Amino acid sequence: MKRVFVHGSYLISSLGFGIKENSTKLFAGKSGSELILDKKYYPKAFFASKIDNKRFNKVFKDLFPDIKNSYTFFEQLLIFVIQQSLKKYPIDLKSEETLLIISSTKGNIDLLAKNEKSKWKENRVFLWKSAQIIKDFFGIQNKAIVISNACISGVEAIGIGSRMIREGSYKNIIVAGADILSEFVVAGFQSFQSLSSKLCRPYDANRTGLNLGEAAGVVILTSEEKKSDIEVLGSGISNDANHISGPSRTGDGLYFAIKSAIDESSIKVEDIDFISGHGTATNYNDEMESKAFQLAGLENTPINSLKGYWGHTLGAAGLIESIAAIETMKNNLLIKTLGYDKHGVSIPINIVKDNQSLPIKTVLKTASGFGGANAAIIFQKTKNNV
Amino acid sequence: MYSISKHIFFSKNKLLSNFEMLYNFENSLTFANVFKTIYKDLGVRYPKYFKMDALSKLGFLSTEVLLQNRSLTEIYKSEKIGIIVANSASTYIMDSKHQASLDDKESYFPSPANFVYTLPNIMTGEICIRHKFKGENAVFISEEFDTEFIYKYTNKLLIDNKLDATIVGYVNIDNDDYEAFLMLVENKEGEIFDLNTLKETYTKYKLLTWIN
């Protein structure tokens, strides 16, 4: 079976631009979330993680001085992160063995608003259109693939990418994900009463809901081992088949995804050194996760959630959290779960409360979301890096 | 050996199963009317159906006809049954409805019952709940049904033993048009599931609904 290696990680978030800025702030315990009062998103103040717009406009213009302003914010984010990724790991974009996979839940949904609608062609709001525009920008030959499976999109996209490398049709796959803050999404989550008015507290007894966030992230998956530190061993996707907006009460869905990923990886449960959890800080999600980790025999394995730093960045979450997991592996340093203080899920899972040095070779990343979907993926340091 | 047990196509107010016409309504009828009539005619009692958005209803009815009272969980483990579908317009109809509840600040009233249906994978989620599918699931968004990619990906899941049975196809609806094409693929003897058969079956359905 072909091996799948990870290269060219890059991200933009509320914490900053690039791996270094983000990981420095993660390791320092700094949150990118804040109280936002902007009627563009919501009539009242809400707590969320926002990208520094002014700074982004400047760096985007610096990187692409010749581009006229004909790309939306969502598209610009993806173009920018992919360009930075390709700088780190150049690939033959025109090759028929190169594929672009985009992960997003709502893409250009902000264009649907009354005062935006007239500015763009109607089909610009569709995810396939965004993917086409980005593919054409880079001159990629193959049709771009878009995965839109709510909050698991990012983890699922990396899983799909690694499967398609093993399938044999592609040598290099760019997996990029983004979601932006919009009135559409903020008001929607508010109507669901699932937003916290303060910094979110994953797995904590006093958790009161999630913080939304915007971000973009990218990795390049390749069958070429050269100088790679990390590989993808296996992945699994599942469905709770229980409720469209509430997670399983037993955790069996997420457990099936974890088991499928472990089986494919040919590793034992004990080989997993660390779990990068989903941990949205909603009551039911965090509880469900704890049950799934117990079912999988992982209740003693250290686990964190990064939602306290970046908020829930929807289709980007799986990508940027996987990138953080990779940094965790490279630095052998676990990042504490910001917002977690008093244990608040019924299973005594081992939540990382303080940063902690630990040799980490193998990581499990999970995600769960609306529609009852769950995803799990296993990353491992390559042998020459252990 | 993976084979196609059945396929259905639902578009332009016509619903066909294994190339046979099951329903053929006048073009002038709205999709809402057509869906309602088929739901009643199938004799399904599933109150959740009435809460669903148009995309979920389309996926739900198409799957009911595809499975026709067959319970796949009697043969396969739940976690080995999946659904892999493509779609083009995502949840455009519900997106517009949710956005409309925000645009007019005088009657600003976003509804959670609408918002949850602004994710295309709720449609696959509804199908998974109804038929207890707990395995691999994915919703790909493409301008048109990309048979080649969907085939390669689904086939990879089958040969890797991630799945023993799966629904694979295309489910799409926007203000102007709707189309559902679903195949049931299982680990058993029968008509082989390969790219050519997938492509030819889909093309033949497009032609059949065009002519009739």
Side-chain angles (χ1 to χ4, degrees), chain A residues 327-338:
Chain A
E327 287 308 297
T328 293
M329 294 166 88
K330 288 182 179 171
N331 292 287
N332 291 308
L333 182 61
L334 299 181
I335 303 161
K336 71 173 180 190
T337 305
L338 196 64

Side-chain angles (χ1 to χ4, degrees), chain A residues 1 41-43 99 105-106 109 112-114 117 122 125-128 132 143 145-150 156 160 163-164 166-167 169-170 183-185 187-189 191-192 235-245 252 256 260-261 264 370-371 373, chain B residues 48 78-79 87-92 94-96 98-99 102-105 108 110-113 115-122 124-126 128-129 132-146 149 152-153 156-157 160 162 174-175:
Chain A
M1 180 105 83
Y41 301 117
Y42 200 67
L99 184 71
T105 64
K106 294 311 302 175
I109 198 67
L112 210 56
K114 201 163 62 182
K117 240 178 163 174
E122 210 187 337
V125 77
F126 294 124
L127 276 166
W128 57 261
Q132 216 171 62
K143 271 184 255 176
I145 301 299
V146 180
I147 177 85
S148 190
N149 207 337
E156 185 167 22
I160 288 165
R163 288 159 179 185
M164 292 314 285
R166 291 201 175 95
E167 190 265 343
S169 298
Y170 309 100
E183 180 186 35
F184 187 102
V185 170
F189 272 96
S191 76
F192 239 88
S235 54
I237 319 291
S238 69
N239 197 287
D240 291 340
N242 175 61
H243 194 276
I244 52 166
S245 58
D252 69 336
F256 288 139
S260 168
E264 186 188 348
F370 274 168
Chain B
K48 274 184 217 163
S78 278
E79 65 268 31
N87 154 285
S88 175
S90 186
T91 48
Y92 186 71
M94 192 52 97
D95 288 357
S96 306
H98 175 63
Q99 186 64 51
L102 308 174
D103 280 340
D104 185 358
K105 302 298 172 210
Y108 182 90
S111 131
F115 181 63
V116 72
Y117 284 102
T118 62
L119 294 163
N121 66 300
I122 297 297
T124 47
E126 291 282 18
C128 287
I129 292 168
K132 294 284 160 251
F133 297 172
K134 295 191 176 183
E136 289 280 336
N137 55 101
V139 179
F140 294 100
I141 311 283
S142 52
E143 185 178 9
E144 286 167 340
F145 184 30
D146 182 352
F149 184 84
K152 278 183 186 171
Y153 183 64
K156 177 74 181 142
L157 293 174
D160 280 357
K162 295 271 187 203
D174 57 32
N175 289 327

Side-chain angles (χ1 to χ4, degrees), chain A residues 35-51:
Chain A
L35 203 62
I36 295 171
L37 181 57
D38 185 341
K39 291 200 169 109
K40 187 175 125 190
Y41 301 117
Y42 200 67
K44 290 178 207 152
F46 65 104
F47 217 85
S49 249
K50 219 176 129 18
I51 290 169

Side-chain angles (χ1 to χ4, degrees), chain A residues 266-317:
Chain A
S266 302
I267 59 165
K268 291 194 252 22
V269 174
E270 306 82 75
D271 294 331
I272 295 169
D273 301 309
F274 160 66
I275 307 164
S276 168
H278 189 53
T280 58
T282 61
N283 241 322
Y284 292 121
N285 172 79
D286 293 6
E287 179 65 18
M288 179 280 288
E289 276 183 58
S290 75
K291 287 178 177 162
F293 293 129
Q294 187 186 44
L295 282 175
L298 287 161
E299 63 264 46
N300 297 320
T301 312
I303 171 174
N304 74 4
S305 157
L306 301 179
K307 298 294 191 291
Y309 300 87
W310 285 322
H312 189 350
T313 57
L314 308 176

Side-chain angles (χ1 to χ4, degrees), chain B residues 4 6-8 16-19 66 181-183 201 205:
Chain B
I4 302 160
K6 198 175 170 185
H7 41 75
I8 66 100
L16 297 90
S17 164
N18 288 353
F19 298 131
L66 183 76
F181 166 65
L182 296 178
M183 269 185 171
T201 311
Y205 272 127

